[in-house]
Amino acid sequence: MVSIADAKKPDAKDISVEGTIEDKGEARTVNTKYGETKVCDAYISDGVDRIKLSLWGEDIEKFNNGDTVSVEGGYTTTFRDQVQLNVPKNKGKLEKTS
């Protein structure tokens, strides 16, 4: 596990981090190369720092503000000058820990 501050490095790979979901936004529909799907922006915080986390598809309903979660195998991208954490569908894991 790394701190969220350490996870905020651009283009980081294979990140494992824990935090609490904050500021979960509204789901919106987007078109991807795989077709139409829903996405929702949220932030996870470790009490010191926070990072944007994209919730896709079923994960939007699984997680709510205040949930403590762990991310395994995540990676970061930069969009509009903001580093965000992503969880790959096949190799990543996003789980509620409490």
Side-chain angles (χ1 to χ4, degrees):
M1 291 282 165
V2 298
S3 69
I4 289 178
D6 288 339
K8 288 173 80 170
K9 295 177 181 150
D11 301 317
K13 296 184 181 2
D14 200 25
I15 297 169
S16 294
V17 67
E18 286 186 349
T20 303
I21 294 185
E22 300 178 341
D23 297 331
K24 180 181 169 188
E26 292 295 317
R28 64 190 184 283
T29 302
V30 295
N31 289 312
T32 70
K33 63 183 177 183
Y34 303 108
E36 195 173 86
T37 190
K38 293 202 179 282
V39 65
C40 172
D41 295 328
Y43 289 85
I44 60 169
S45 170
D46 61 8
V48 176
D49 211 343
R50 67 188 216 154
I51 190 169
K52 188 177 198 177
L53 172 69
S54 298
L55 299 174
W56 294 90
E58 297 172 356
D59 286 344
I60 295 169
E61 301 302 319
K62 286 182 190 175
F63 303 101
N64 295 299
N65 287 329
D67 289 346
T68 302
V69 297
S70 70
V71 174
E72 292 180 27
Y75 66 96
T76 61
T77 55
T78 304
F79 182 68
R80 295 184 179 158
D81 295 326
Q82 185 176 31
V83 176
Q84 57 189 35
L85 180 61
N86 303 280
V87 182
K89 192 181 240 186
N90 302 1
K91 298 179 183 178
K93 195 186 281 188
L94 175 62
E95 292 183 321
K96 205 182 287 191
T97 58
S98 67

